[in-house]
Amino acid sequence: MFHRGRRLRGAPHLRAMTRETRLDRAQLIMPYFVEEGGKSAGPAPIAAMPGQYRYSPDELVKALEQDARDGVAACLLFGIPSGKDPAGKGAYARDGVVQTALRKIKDKFPDLYLITDVCLCEYTDHGHCGLIGASGEVLNDESLELLARAALSHAEAGADMIAPSDMMDGRIAFIRNALDENGFTSTPIMAYSVKYASAYYGPFREAAASAPRFGDRKSYQMDPANRLEALREAAADIEEGADIIMVKPAGPCLDVIREVRDAFSAPLAAYQVSGEYALIRSAAELGRIDETAVILESLLGIKRAGADLIITYFTRDLLHRGLL
Ligand code: PBG
Ligand code: ZN
């Protein structure tokens, strides 16, 4: 007698009945770039991310009409301000671009779930995620106050969930405290807990013009070589009050997703980042892969590794085409 594994693979229905992992549209989050001011020549295509756009707040409201109809249920908003400065003032301005977009979107689509990325790098002229000290170092504790102000300004403008991506130490505790003190005890935090200093963020930095002007992010984002450090970061963020933890990037870190899943009981998100998106899109444009099949397989792999939520730029397209 030998093992007849093929017995369960013989027919579509049987395969469906014994399938272990499924993608669920309720667990997909679509990122959007919202840009301040400028001409209204329509959404601006992002060259490094074919199929993605920078929207003005009004253009985004318009685009969301179709997307919400297609089934996009949750959005992750990134802001691109019209001007940048050393302290990233646009990140926590009451009338900043994300804050403005939040009010407009909430007004029109009260049921759309709005998550905001909280960081300074899109707003600082030096492009780092925190303030810069006298010798060019990225200051930790001094940056916390500004990050908390950004988070609070998002909550006040209608954000349903806050997602800090800066990787400063202590920011989850600091932001949780600021939200609680101002009555936002019910606003969850999704922490970019395990965020590697990854080359896969390249296209995003082009989209948001947020590449650091000097140095790199290695003094605050994690070394991709490290696995145990991921467990320490996740533990710290949960301890500090994170409701959902995240591993980023997703595809290159499937092992880490699995380890974090097995070590903690908090809901786990994984971010299929801009570089992962660009790789698949570019290969498809060259006709080298079956794009739809590769997209679905990449997402299934992330899910099988243990992610509950997946942030992916493919969300809109998959839903629009009725594939989920
Ligand atoms: C901001 C931020 C980045 C991403 C999410 N939030 C850029 C970075 O850290 O350099 C990357 C997302 C992507 O590549 O799709 N800190
Ligand atoms: Zn940042």
Side-chain angles (χ1 to χ4, degrees), residues 49 78 117 119 121-122 129 165-166 192 195 200-202 204-205 210 217 221 248 271-275 313:
M49 301 172 71
F78 292 95
D117 183 273
C119 202
C121 57
E122 297 98 330
C129 304
S165 72
D166 52 281
Y192 286 73
K195 179 170 177 179
Y200 285 83
Y201 309 154
F204 172 100
R205 291 180 191 172
S210 64
R217 301 214 204 289
Q221 298 181 350
K248 175 184 172 211
Y271 197 147
Q272 183 180 53
V273 300
S274 57
Y313 299 95

Side-chain angles (χ1 to χ4, degrees), residues 55-113:
Y55 303 89
S56 71
D58 288 321
E59 287 164 354
L60 182 54
V61 170
K62 189 145 182 290
L64 286 172
E65 261 169 49
Q66 180 68 48
D67 295 357
R69 214 177 303 135
D70 289 339
V72 173
C75 313
L76 176 61
L77 300 184
F78 292 95
I80 305 167
S82 53
K84 309 196 186 213
D85 58 75
K89 290 199 180 65
Y92 39 90
R94 227 196 84 82
D95 60 350
V97 63
V98 165
Q99 293 83 349
T100 302
L102 283 167
R103 291 192 178 91
K104 285 180 189 268
I105 299 168
K106 265 295 160 201
D107 187 48
K108 193 95 188 281
F109 308 102
D111 295 333
L112 207 53
Y113 198 80

Side-chain angles (χ1 to χ4, degrees), residues 116-249:
T116 56
D117 183 273
V118 167
C119 202
L120 300 184
C121 57
E122 297 98 330
Y123 304 90
T124 51
D125 53 8
H126 46 73
H128 279 287
C129 304
L131 293 169
I132 301 297
S135 43
E137 77 280 25
V138 176
L139 299 169
N140 193 87
D141 297 17
E142 294 80 350
S143 303
L144 296 179
E145 179 65 39
L146 302 184
L147 291 162
R149 278 171 64 181
L152 187 57
S153 71
H154 292 177
E156 284 168 348
D160 295 298
M161 183 185 284
I162 302 297
S165 72
D166 52 281
M167 288 299 278
M168 298 300 122
D169 292 333
R171 88 258 205 231
I172 302 303
F174 216 86
I175 289 172
R176 183 71 269 160
N177 190 47
L179 291 173
D180 289 351
E181 278 184 347
N182 288 277
F184 294 101
T185 51
S186 301
T187 304
I189 295 177
M190 175 165 69
Y192 286 73
S193 303
V194 182
K195 179 170 177 179
Y196 289 102
S198 170
Y200 285 83
Y201 309 154
F204 172 100
R205 291 180 191 172
E206 191 181 313
S210 64
R213 290 284 178 75
F214 60 89
D216 52 43
R217 301 214 204 289
K218 291 179 184 166
S219 79
Y220 42 107
Q221 298 181 350
M222 284 173 48
D223 184 339
N226 295 351
R227 161 177 91 79
L228 297 172
E229 188 184 3
L231 299 176
R232 295 199 295 274
E233 287 294 331
D237 281 1
I238 290 169
E239 174 74 27
E240 289 182 29
D243 301 282
I244 300 175
I245 53 179
M246 192 201 297
V247 172
K248 175 184 172 211

